Amino acid sequence: MSIIQMFITIAVVVLGTVLTRFLPYMVFTEGREIPMTVKYLGKFWRLLYSVFWSFIA
Amino acid sequence: MKSNRTSDGTERAGESGRTAVISGQDDKRGALRAMKTAFPKTIPVMTGYIFLGITYGMLMATSGFPGWLPALTALIIYTGSMEFLMVSILLSSFNPLSAFATAVMVGARHLFYGISMLGKYRNMGWKKFYLIYTTSDETFSVNYSADIPDYVDRSWFYFWVSLLDQMYWVAGSAAGGFFGSLITINLDGLDFVMTAMFAVIFLQQWMQDGTKLRSLFRDHICELTGIAGSVLCLVIFGPDHFMIPSMIVILAVLLIFRKPMEKAGYTLEHDTSASDHSENAEISGEGLSNNGNGGDDI
């Protein structure tokens, strides 16, 4: 892999990770009300993530 | 000193030059105070990130990449698991589409973190972009579970946790990349500090949701769902592939059993048409609670 190809690869990986990070905020912009189901999932997700990560980490 | 900031964190139009100066000083003091509050909460992450970062930097360096590359990827990708995969991706033939698909799959968990942080990261001004960009497993854990005192500016607190965590990771990766060959200490097992951190946060949640044996299932239905879903998928998919299936299973269970859970006492307390402050509180999760236990933020 050449240096240019290496940087293109890094760039697309950055794009992929940034997309996953920003997508929820792009869908639910500040002016838009967050649906109750999404709030519900967001709420309970916080109760679950530490269980989950205790397994993974 | 009286603050000159509005409830959404933006500066009010200056009433006089003196007020503006005082406001600027307040902002600096607020930022400093937030850093003092945030730093101790990032110490477990610091320990884990620095040593894990060194491991990553060493791996990159010993794979033939320049010493600065781990620091650069740590800064701009900032997803540990993806960066470790980058070593093999960069060593294989050029395939940007596959690299992109891998990044999306590995980063899929950020979608769930984003949903949880939607409310907390509202009205963060210029800091919001950076907060979203630097969401990681550990930063999310600290920021979501942090009990931030009233006198500390929440946006600065989140900012410092995010910045410090990222700096730990970049510093560790840079050290591993540049000086990895000089390190002869065995670092195996030191990253366990992060597992310990997640376990402690879990125990805090468990204790807060109730400690009575007779109401075990009612109080801890969420935690038990998480454990059951994770174990089930661990057995079915194995340790390398159970993460995304577990998330999907857990979310599916939560959606299917939403009504029974609400009947059991887990409800949304406030109406969405509440005032600005209470709306933010509700959206950020503070208005949601197990009725049997009152407020449930850690």
Side-chain angles (χ1 to χ4, degrees), chain B residues 168-191:
Chain B
Y168 302 148
W169 181 248
V170 173
S173 303
F178 288 115
F179 311 112
S181 57
L182 305 174
I183 298 171
T184 53
I185 309 163
N186 185 358
L187 302 176
D188 285 353
L190 274 170
D191 55 324

Side-chain angles (χ1 to χ4, degrees), chain B:
Chain B
M1 194 177 290
K2 191 172 183 278
S3 171
N4 192 36
R5 296 179 71 81
T6 58
S7 59
D8 64 359
T10 55
E11 300 267 346
R12 247 182 228 149
E15 291 154 14
S16 67
R18 179 174 161 72
T19 312
V21 171
I22 291 169
S23 172
Q25 288 171 347
D26 271 0
D27 202 37
K28 279 183 187 169
R29 283 177 193 164
L32 194 65
R33 194 163 43 223
M35 190 176 74
K36 285 178 182 169
T37 312
F39 173 68
K41 298 195 186 290
T42 67
I43 289 173
V45 183
M46 175 174 68
T47 319
Y49 268 18
I50 286 179
F51 288 109
L52 205 60
I54 289 173
T55 312
Y56 166 63
M58 286 170 71
L59 184 66
M60 281 291 249
T62 53
S63 302
F65 295 107
W68 50 264
L69 193 63
L72 178 73
T73 51
L75 187 71
I76 62 175
I77 299 176
Y78 191 46
T79 303
S81 44
M82 189 61 225
E83 286 163 47
F84 277 100
L85 284 174
M86 278 301 281
V87 180
S88 56
I89 289 172
L90 292 175
L91 286 172
S92 60
S93 56
F94 181 59
N95 190 344
L97 202 63
S98 166
F100 178 77
T102 307
V104 171
M105 281 192 288
V106 172
R109 64 185 185 279
H110 292 129
L111 296 171
F112 301 97
Y113 296 159
I115 287 171
S116 298
M117 295 305 280
L118 279 172
K120 285 187 187 286
Y121 283 174
R122 277 200 166 177
N123 302 318
M124 290 287 132
W126 60 268
K127 300 181 195 79
K128 185 169 179 175
F129 179 88
Y130 182 72
L131 295 177
I132 299 170
Y133 189 84
T134 52
T135 299
S136 70
D137 306 315
E138 290 73 17
T139 302
F140 167 76
S141 300
V142 174
N143 277 344
Y144 204 123
S145 60
D147 184 12
I148 306 169
D150 290 339
Y151 57 85
V152 174
D153 184 317
R154 296 179 72 86
S155 68
W156 276 115
F157 178 90
Y158 295 144
F159 176 82
W160 284 118
V161 170
S162 303
L163 181 68
L164 288 168
D165 285 358
Q166 191 184 23
M167 291 305 104
Y168 302 148
W169 181 248
V170 173
S173 303
F178 288 115
F179 311 112
S181 57
L182 305 174
I183 298 171
T184 53
I185 309 163
N186 185 358
L187 302 176
D188 285 353
L190 274 170
D191 55 324
F192 185 75
V193 70
M194 286 195 287
T195 308
M197 182 187 77
F198 287 119
V200 167
I201 291 174
F202 170 67
L203 285 174
Q204 283 177 337
Q205 279 179 197
W206 186 281
M207 300 293 282
Q208 197 155 12
D209 284 348
T211 52
K212 289 175 185 167
L213 195 61
R214 63 181 177 182
S215 56
L216 180 82
F217 286 101
R218 183 181 173 278
D219 291 345
H220 302 291
I221 189 160
C222 290
E223 291 94 331
L224 294 170
T225 307
I227 292 171
S230 301
V231 170
L232 182 72
C233 291
L234 184 65
V235 171
I236 296 172
F237 297 99
D240 294 332
H241 302 102
F242 85 109
M243 191 169 83
I244 300 297
S246 296
M247 289 180 170
I248 293 168
V249 166
I250 291 166
L251 285 182
V253 169
L254 288 177
L255 284 174
I256 292 165
F257 294 100
R258 181 178 173 180
K259 285 194 174 164
M261 283 174 75
E262 285 179 349
K263 275 184 189 171
Y266 290 89
T267 56
L268 287 157
E269 274 183 351
H270 300 294
D271 184 65
T272 49
S273 60
S275 67
D276 198 23
H277 175 76
S278 58
E279 184 186 23
N280 282 340
E282 180 203 350
I283 292 166
S284 69
E286 288 158 13
L288 280 155
S289 69
N290 175 350
N291 285 350
N293 298 292
D296 60 354
D297 262 8
I298 294 168

Side-chain angles (χ1 to χ4, degrees), chain A:
Chain A
M1 201 181 283
S2 71
I3 191 90
I4 294 173
Q5 289 176 330
M6 196 168 84
F7 276 107
I8 292 172
T9 305
I10 292 171
V12 295
V13 167
V14 170
L15 187 69
T17 53
V18 164
L19 188 71
T20 57
R21 284 180 166 128
F22 279 85
L23 198 61
Y25 301 90
M26 291 192 288
V27 173
F28 302 107
T29 51
E30 297 225 346
R32 191 177 162 186
E33 192 178 321
I34 303 168
M36 295 298 262
T37 305
V38 174
K39 284 181 199 172
Y40 166 83
L41 290 178
K43 168 67 183 174
F44 287 117
W45 183 252
R46 88 129 176 107
L47 290 167
L48 297 171
Y49 72 89
S50 61
V51 182
F52 184 73
W53 273 100
S54 296
F55 279 93
I56 288 186

